Amino acid sequence: MNLDELYQEVILDHYKNPRGAGLRDPFEGESHQVNPTCGDEITLRVHLEGDKVADVSYENVGCSISKASASVMYELIKDVEVGSAMEKLREFTELMNSKGQGEADEETLEDGVAFAGVSKYPMRVKCALLGWMAFKDALVKAEAGHEN
């Protein structure tokens, strides 16, 4: 099995067995994002405990890349410090904007490295980033003390 096939398997596993799916309470920030080019949608909630992302919950509809990316994101940022979660967001965004030229740090992004090939396809990059952008928006709202 080559690396591309392995990455496809990782994406399919997260698509078929999403981690963290389903909206949960409590939460301090919520965001609803839509990718108008393909119809993907996500509603995401963030629950903070101090400076830690205690939980991220979401409901999403869309393609396998969008759904799998949200699942991977959940595993990467749940129970980590906000600063670390933002660093993972920055690294994933950088990878997605690399147009297939980026080198993913497997230690930081774990299963997120499986999306390296997605960065070659501009229309798919938005799919992969949808959940991450919802997280960023919900985190801003949570830190500002809003619930919507």
Side-chain angles (χ1 to χ4, degrees):
M1 177 179 284
N2 70 32
L3 199 55
D4 287 339
E5 290 172 339
L6 178 63
Y7 287 170
Q8 287 175 353
E9 288 298 319
V10 168
I11 290 172
L12 282 175
D13 178 51
H14 277 275
Y15 170 65
K16 292 177 182 176
N17 306 295
R19 282 62 150 188
L23 292 174
R24 292 181 290 282
D25 290 323
F27 68 96
E28 291 74 39
E30 180 176 273
S31 178
H32 181 78
Q33 300 289 316
V34 177
N35 181 351
T37 60
C38 67
D40 292 348
E41 291 188 41
I42 188 167
T43 299
L44 183 139
R45 293 178 175 173
V46 172
H47 173 54
L48 300 176
E49 290 179 0
D51 194 35
K52 184 176 86 174
V53 179
D55 192 23
V56 176
S57 62
Y58 61 91
E59 283 185 350
N60 59 351
V61 294
C63 69
S64 61
I65 291 171
S66 175
K67 293 183 94 161
S69 181
S71 174
V72 168
M73 178 192 63
Y74 166 82
E75 287 193 327
L76 288 172
I77 63 176
K78 183 184 180 303
D79 289 326
V80 302
E81 298 295 317
V82 169
S84 179
M86 291 305 292
E87 179 62 19
K88 290 171 192 272
L89 166 66
R90 185 196 63 73
E91 286 192 36
F92 189 79
T93 302
E94 190 175 287
L95 177 64
M96 289 299 93
N97 291 324
S98 73
K99 297 183 167 98
Q101 305 302 310
E103 290 293 320
D105 181 357
E106 192 169 343
E107 189 171 310
T108 304
L109 290 181
E110 300 172 22
D111 281 354
V113 300
F115 293 86
V118 172
S119 70
K120 298 175 192 172
Y121 306 98
M123 295 301 290
R124 306 307 291 177
V125 167
K126 290 181 181 182
C127 301
L129 286 173
L130 188 65
W132 291 88
M133 295 303 101
F135 166 69
K136 183 178 179 181
D137 184 48
L139 182 62
V140 167
K141 291 175 180 176
E143 289 180 327
H146 298 126
E147 273 202 3
N148 286 326

